[in-house]
Amino acid sequence: MSSYINTTTPEQHAPYLDIPDDVIEYLHYLDFVKLRSPRTVNGYYLDLRGFFRYMMKQWDRVPEGAAPEEIDLTHITTRDIAGITKRDIFGFLDYVRSVQNGPKSRARKLSALKGFFGYMVTQVNKLSQNPTEDISLGTPKPALPKYLTREESLSLLKNIQSDFYERDFCIITLFLNCGMRLSELVGIDLSDFRDDTIRILGKGGKERLVYLNDACKQALDHYCKARASLPHLKDRQALFVSKKTGARLTARRVEQIVERCLQNAGLSGRGFSPHKLRHTAATLMYQGGVDMLALKEILGHENVSTTQIYTHINQQKLREAVQASPLANQGYIGPRTSQEESGKQDAQTAAEDTE
């Protein structure tokens, strides 16, 4: 199975070997013209490949019992693509729903299809009609991000067991304090540091500066001393390297390091990951009073609407606000009995007679 992402050099792509020529040209357009990130283009590659595997079955061009990876898409022509209708798009969306794809996944697949057919119609004029036009699944309800509490974060930092402790402690510290993405962390070079800031290369090649707090600076200081003592360094500019090979750590290797640290802290099996550590950093900063616009810049979000999801998870502050009500400690008041109500009315009548 070919993949856009080259695991040894994530900034490059492996060759496209199993998709139609028109899709290859579209992915190159996303890469070189639209300057989309490798992970974004890889997502489009996977979604479009899945769609055309579905279409091959609809066209009865698949041998009975063939596995998905055995379906040859390279012979699909522009004429074949021109014959795709709205009914086919609806059928595919219904199919992915039937195989347990959630609302966000279906919306992403539709976005990939809209992008591809829009390109075929408006950019290269290979199609006269766009079968995805006016198709909408609505906006999927955003899921609340999963995150570690302050106590769980401290437990994670206190339970790191590793043959390269300084490196792994520094990785966890940067995730929990800077809120960077996995791809951003593995891409850090030594030259990205200046004074108390680090230059982060985010989505779409957008740069941002993130300030380092004392915890990050201490972790980096200890790690860089340990790194300097390594007998061989293959990638001398890479911040995080393998102790064994001296090469830049891959994203997959960092995922394994994080998982091992979570296991040691008794936090595995709960869906935590490097991206959840990013959510943790954002949540703890927001709970600490960081302004929403400042948090947007730290996280590298394009729109503040993306950042606003963290306003929905500050449960402790909401509890404290409710408990601050002057009526918060008022006990239960039971209903008055008929005798009490009658006595109250007699007292009111007596008062009126004396006036």
Side-chain angles (χ1 to χ4, degrees):
M1 180 183 75
S2 67
S3 172
Y4 184 83
I5 298 291
N6 185 324
T7 55
T8 57
T9 53
E11 73 280 0
Q12 300 177 6
H13 64 76
Y16 304 114
L17 302 175
D18 57 356
I19 52 177
D21 288 341
D22 285 320
V23 179
I24 293 176
E25 292 174 6
Y26 173 59
L27 297 181
H28 284 155
Y29 167 78
L30 291 178
D31 189 1
F32 303 123
V33 179
K34 302 297 288 184
L35 301 179
R36 297 290 188 256
S37 73
R39 288 187 178 276
T40 297
V41 180
N42 190 54
Y44 276 73
Y45 157 71
L46 294 173
D47 287 335
L48 291 171
R49 186 183 65 180
F51 170 73
F52 281 106
R53 284 176 175 174
Y54 167 83
M55 288 305 305
M56 286 289 287
K57 292 180 179 179
Q58 301 307 302
W59 291 329
D60 292 325
R61 299 185 191 175
V62 179
E64 187 174 351
E69 60 271 15
E70 296 174 349
I71 301 176
D72 184 7
L73 307 178
T74 59
H75 299 298
I76 294 177
T77 66
T78 303
R79 184 173 181 178
D80 292 327
I81 296 173
I84 294 173
T85 66
K86 261 188 170 60
R87 184 184 296 273
D88 294 318
I89 305 298
F90 285 131
F92 174 68
L93 295 174
D94 185 57
Y95 163 74
V96 296
R97 181 175 62 86
S98 70
V99 291
Q100 308 304 313
N101 279 246
K104 287 184 66 175
S105 178
R106 296 198 302 274
R108 190 193 69 238
K109 293 180 188 300
L110 177 58
S111 177
L113 292 172
K114 281 180 171 288
F116 171 69
F117 283 105
Y119 160 84
M120 293 289 284
V121 171
T122 63
Q123 297 298 322
V124 293
N125 299 318
K126 288 188 174 183
L127 300 181
S128 60
Q129 292 184 329
N130 182 345
T132 67
E133 195 171 18
D134 299 326
I135 295 179
S136 174
L137 294 177
T139 303
K141 183 179 180 181
L144 295 181
K146 185 176 294 187
Y147 63 96
L148 280 71
T149 65
R150 179 179 180 276
E151 291 72 23
E152 289 170 336
S153 300
L154 290 173
S155 177
L156 179 59
L157 288 167
K158 292 177 180 178
N159 286 280
I160 293 175
Q161 300 174 27
S162 167
D163 61 351
F164 201 171
Y165 177 88
E166 295 86 355
R167 181 198 64 192
D168 296 354
F169 182 88
C170 187
I171 287 174
I172 299 298
T173 298
L174 290 184
F175 272 137
L176 289 175
N177 285 273
C178 299
M180 61 185 64
R181 300 177 177 92
L182 173 60
S183 60
E184 294 170 348
L185 181 130
V186 297
I188 296 174
D189 289 331
L190 295 177
S191 58
D192 292 328
F193 294 93
R194 176 168 296 181
D195 299 325
D196 61 344
T197 65
I198 178 174
R199 182 184 70 95
I200 300 294
L201 188 63
K203 281 187 174 182
K206 295 179 181 178
E207 295 183 3
R208 69 182 188 278
L209 283 181
V210 174
Y211 285 86
L212 300 169
N213 58 24
D214 289 341
C216 291
K217 287 187 282 188
Q218 289 182 29
L220 283 163
D221 183 57
H222 282 86
Y223 166 59
C224 286
K225 289 177 181 177
R227 179 185 179 279
S229 65
L230 293 176
H232 45 74
L233 278 173
K234 180 178 179 181
D235 294 326
R236 294 187 174 276
Q237 276 301 307
L239 174 62
F240 292 114
V241 296
S242 165
K243 184 178 182 179
K244 182 178 180 180
T245 66
R248 184 188 298 272
L249 290 184
T250 64
R252 179 60 191 142
R253 181 69 187 110
V254 173
E255 288 177 334
Q256 293 171 341
I257 291 170
V258 171
E259 176 56 28
R260 186 183 62 223
C261 293
L262 288 166
Q263 288 177 350
N264 293 335
L267 296 169
S268 62
R270 295 169 53 185
F272 294 130
S273 64
H275 198 68
K276 299 304 184 291
L277 299 189
R278 169 175 161 86
H279 287 323
T280 297
T283 302
L284 295 181
M285 280 188 274
Y286 180 72
Q287 290 177 341
V290 174
D291 175 79
M292 187 59 60
L293 292 177
L295 190 58
K296 167 184 173 293
E297 295 301 318
I298 293 171
L299 297 176
H301 287 160
E302 187 169 348
N303 299 304
V304 73
S305 59
T306 306
T307 317
Q308 285 175 337
I309 191 169
Y310 296 104
T311 64
H312 302 303
I313 58 180
N314 199 357
Q315 301 298 327
Q316 184 58 38
K317 284 187 176 293
L318 293 178
R319 291 192 189 97
E320 292 172 358
V322 172
Q323 289 299 329
S325 167
L327 300 177
N329 296 318
Q330 173 61 55
Y332 176 72
I333 301 175
R336 288 183 177 275
T337 65
S338 57
Q339 185 176 359
E340 289 175 331
E341 192 66 28
S342 176
K344 179 181 177 182
Q345 292 177 350
D346 289 346
Q348 288 178 339
T349 302
E352 292 171 356
D353 289 344
T354 59
E355 293 180 355

